[in-house]
Amino acid sequence: MHHVSFLQDLAVVMIVAAVVTIIFRQLKQPVVLGYILAGVIIGPHTPPFPLISDQHTIETLSELGVIFLMFALGLEFSLRKLTQVGVTALVAAAFEILFMVWVGYQLGLAFGWNTMDSVFLGAILSISSTTIIIKALEEIGKTRERFAQLIFGILIVEDILAILMIAMLSAFATTGELGMGQLAATVGRLSAFLGVLLVAGLILVPRLLNYVAKFKSNEMLLVTVTGLCFGVSLLAVKLGYSVALGAFLIGAIIAEARQIAQIEDLMHPVRDLFSAVFFVSIGLLIDPVLLAQYWLPILVITLAVVVGKVLTCFFGTFIAGNDLKSSMRVGMGLAQIGEFSFIIAALGLSLKVTSGFLYPIAVAVSALTTLSTPYLIRSSDSAVGLLVRWMPPGLMASLNAYTEWVGGLSTNRGRKSGGVFLRKWGWQIALNLLLIAAVFIAAVYFKDHGRDWAWVPEVPGGQNGWKGAIWLAAMVVSLPMIIAAVRKWQAFGMLVSEMSVSRAAGGERTPAIRAVISQTLFVAGCAGLLLYLLVLSSALLPSRNLLVVLAVVLVGTAMLLRRAFIRVHSKAQVALQQTLSEPPAQREGGESGHGHGDRHAAETPVLPPLLREAQLVMVQVTDASPVAGKLIAEIQLRTLTGASIVGIERVAEGANVINPGVSEELKAGDTVLLLGTEGQIVEAKKVFGG
């Protein structure tokens, strides 16, 4: 009868949540608060009796809410946006975390708690809640504004730093020391995981989605992206990271696909359903009795979270070069704690190093700061207005000058072409080294566990032969990256020598001096790469005799297949650049549907009768046309010209697409029916190459 109990609990959760949120809508209050209140009403701590029988099941469903919320965040926050706000996110997140850890530690000591409770309290207060902020911003329709993108960037950096913090706390709790060696290993594994997932995902996922989109089936597309979401989230958990990180990363990768507008439309209802369960589950944890017992610490900590995060995030965002208004809105949007705080508090309990009251206090503070978040975000503009009115004119002018100065620095960066190439090649070398590290991390794992797998063949030579085979395989897989890193470093050295020695300074000896610098850098880089490979190989190296034999085999393989390895790496690099260079599809105002795969699209009238000045013109798409092979969303015809595509005659397939959606692809041989005024049609023909 477990399924009946589960159905009953789910019915109670959704019915109570629906009733409460309808009331909150009528009162014009944030819906997320209604979800939390619904959780309190049906929770085990609210008399006369709990309305659900299995709270664990609801908490499991709430995990799905976290996954879909983080996935949706990734869809809206593409990697291009992350690069745009990366400096601000890093500065603000680092400043906030360091300050709030110190504040929490001092508060714990002031309450008379022991050192471990105080340390964990600082960690709990340092991380803001991604899920709560997303929901609050969505309800007021601010997710695409500049300050919201800054908030999302800070949250991403916070989540990554939270993983490192958990590793540090685990080592500190068990040994009493920070364990920098373990921390360094954690940083290396996390960097390798992020690098490999992003590179492989950006190469493979957009092409997979392009293939699925050819079937014109929303169902296939939804199942595919959901499978990718769960698969990468599971991979992250298996590697010791959070499901939230995995879901966000795959969302950011899918955001670079051409079908992003269609995918967002498909995922929103699914996300809303499970996110409701997540916020209800937070309410289930609130114990009114506990709130009364620890009311003073809860209120003081809540006030410290709100004030501390507003000030630190405001200051960190501002010193990174953002204006006062955006900085204040960022600070007031990040003033809460959430899911990572629960994870850190639970870690202390599981390690038996923190007191039992710390977790409930974290939940209560999270609930109170969650209640205040929507109001803080909505009042941020008023707070900026008050700040501007009270601030002396001279100070205001100085702050504006600072913002313009920092902005000018970021604009002037990279104007010299040599510096641009050095940074570009430097990042490419770093990425190749990161991928090599990931290969060896996987090889070490395979060395430790692979022999127990039934499908793995027996390798002669025992453990020594097994290690040698794994090392050789890892080196062969890494050869494309190794060769690419060597070639990039050689070019890097040559460019440095050109930039460092001018003709005026070197005179006739300029070529010789440049050659010495270039060769010195090249040899030093190759030596460093060799040392790097030896460090990575330390757990895999076989006996000396076998290593010599395998090294000869490796060198021979590299010499024979060098060109093939270069081609493989070049193709992967081109595929990655194509993914990042193609603009993501955007919704065009007024156009709806998903092509002829949407049966409702065919019911829409082709020509509205009230448009008396409109003209219908047919345009041919040729092989040489600049729009051939592009989605309607990509060419942004309505945005650029005002004209609309209302029909496509596809002779090759014997099909007609009436009122096509933004995800429809224009193919060579199509005859396109344009609707617009005379001037709009003229401009539209130019877009088609006419």
Side-chain angles (χ1 to χ4, degrees), residues 115-130:
T115 300
M116 200 61 70
D117 285 338
S118 301
V119 170
F120 271 80
L121 177 63
I124 288 170
L125 302 189
S126 63
I127 308 297
S128 299
S129 173
T130 302

Side-chain angles (χ1 to χ4, degrees), residues 578-652:
Q578 286 178 346
T579 299
L580 294 176
S581 63
E582 291 179 357
Q586 303 289 337
R587 293 181 182 86
E588 292 190 14
E591 293 190 31
S592 60
H594 302 298
H596 63 260
D598 187 345
R599 64 182 181 183
H600 299 291
E603 300 170 5
T604 306
V606 175
L607 180 61
L610 298 179
L611 300 179
R612 297 182 179 179
E613 298 181 1
Q615 298 181 5
L616 281 172
V617 177
M618 302 182 75
V619 178
Q620 189 75 22
V621 179
T622 64
D623 292 327
S625 176
V627 303
K630 292 187 177 181
L631 303 181
I632 293 178
E634 290 181 280
I635 66 174
Q636 298 190 0
L637 187 68
R638 176 171 295 183
T639 302
L640 297 175
T641 68
S644 298
I645 298 175
V646 296
I648 300 175
E649 182 182 3
R650 190 154 288 154
V651 179

Side-chain angles (χ1 to χ4, degrees), residues 92-100 126 128 154 158 309 312-313:
F95 189 78
E96 174 202 3
I97 289 176
L98 291 174
F99 183 80
M100 293 307 299
S126 63
S128 299
I154 294 171
E158 281 189 1
K309 284 182 174 283
T312 55
C313 294

Side-chain angles (χ1 to χ4, degrees), residues 176 187 264 275 286 296 316 328 341 345 352 432 448 486 589 656 661 676:
V187 172
E264 284 184 325
S275 63
I286 298 177
L296 182 58
M328 179 60 73
S341 302
K352 298 181 180 179
N432 281 300
D448 294 335
V486 171
N656 294 324

Side-chain angles (χ1 to χ4, degrees), residues 440 444 528-541:
F440 276 90
V444 171
L529 178 60
L530 180 60
L531 179 62
Y532 179 73
L533 292 173
L534 288 175
V535 172
L536 293 176
S537 303
S538 58
L540 297 172
L541 292 178

Side-chain angles (χ1 to χ4, degrees), residues 189-190 192-193 232-242 441 445:
R189 287 193 296 268
L190 176 61
F193 170 69
V232 175
S233 299
L234 176 62
L235 176 63
V237 172
K238 290 291 186 181
L239 295 176
Y241 307 121
S242 69
I441 291 172
Y445 179 86

Side-chain angles (χ1 to χ4, degrees), residues 393-681:
L395 178 59
M396 187 69 186
S398 300
L399 294 178
N400 289 334
Y402 171 81
T403 301
E404 293 178 1
W405 174 68
V406 176
L409 289 179
S410 62
T411 302
N412 292 331
R413 272 187 217 128
R415 282 189 176 178
K416 294 182 179 180
S417 58
V420 172
F421 279 110
L422 288 180
R423 281 192 295 274
K424 179 181 178 181
W425 291 340
W427 279 111
Q428 290 176 354
I429 293 170
L431 179 58
N432 281 300
L433 296 179
L434 190 64
L435 294 177
I436 294 170
V439 171
F440 276 90
I441 291 172
V444 171
Y445 179 86
F446 189 69
K447 186 261 296 184
D448 294 335
H449 303 88
R451 300 187 77 178
D452 299 331
W453 300 343
W455 56 271
V456 176
E458 186 67 25
V459 177
Q463 182 67 15
N464 186 55
W466 174 250
K467 292 170 65 175
I470 299 298
W471 178 83
L472 180 62
M475 288 297 297
V476 171
V477 172
S478 302
L479 274 178
M481 285 83 76
I482 294 173
I483 294 173
V486 171
R487 296 175 71 214
K488 292 295 182 184
W489 183 253
Q490 186 177 22
F492 190 94
M494 293 174 63
L495 184 56
V496 168
S497 66
E498 293 281 343
M499 295 175 62
S500 58
V501 182
S502 64
R503 288 282 182 183
E508 296 180 355
R509 301 181 62 186
T510 298
I513 298 175
R514 287 177 175 177
V516 171
I517 295 175
S518 176
Q519 291 300 320
T520 302
L521 287 175
F522 179 70
V523 172
C526 290
L529 178 60
L530 180 60
L531 179 62
Y532 179 73
L533 292 173
L534 288 175
V535 172
L536 293 176
S537 303
S538 58
L540 297 172
L541 292 178
S543 63
R544 183 180 302 176
N545 293 335
L546 180 58
L547 181 61
V548 171
V549 174
L550 295 178
V552 172
V553 174
L554 181 66
V555 172
T557 303
M559 294 177 63
L560 291 174
L561 301 178
R562 181 175 180 272
R563 294 186 180 277
F565 287 135
I566 293 174
R567 284 197 299 270
V568 169
H569 188 274
S570 298
K571 288 182 179 179
Q573 184 173 336
V574 169
L576 182 61
Q577 291 174 345
Q578 286 178 346
T579 299
L580 294 176
S581 63
E582 291 179 357
Q586 303 289 337
R587 293 181 182 86
E588 292 190 14
E591 293 190 31
S592 60
H594 302 298
H596 63 260
D598 187 345
R599 64 182 181 183
H600 299 291
E603 300 170 5
T604 306
V606 175
L607 180 61
L610 298 179
L611 300 179
R612 297 182 179 179
E613 298 181 1
Q615 298 181 5
L616 281 172
V617 177
M618 302 182 75
V619 178
Q620 189 75 22
V621 179
T622 64
D623 292 327
S625 176
V627 303
K630 292 187 177 181
L631 303 181
I632 293 178
E634 290 181 280
I635 66 174
Q636 298 190 0
L637 187 68
R638 176 171 295 183
T639 302
L640 297 175
T641 68
S644 298
I645 298 175
V646 296
I648 300 175
E649 182 182 3
R650 190 154 288 154
V651 179
E653 299 178 6
N656 294 324
V657 185
I658 306 301
N659 194 26
V662 295
S663 59
E664 188 69 44
E665 180 181 354
L666 298 176
K667 302 178 181 179
D670 286 351
T671 300
V672 177
L673 186 63
L674 300 178
L675 173 65
T677 63
E678 182 178 357
Q680 291 171 346
I681 295 296

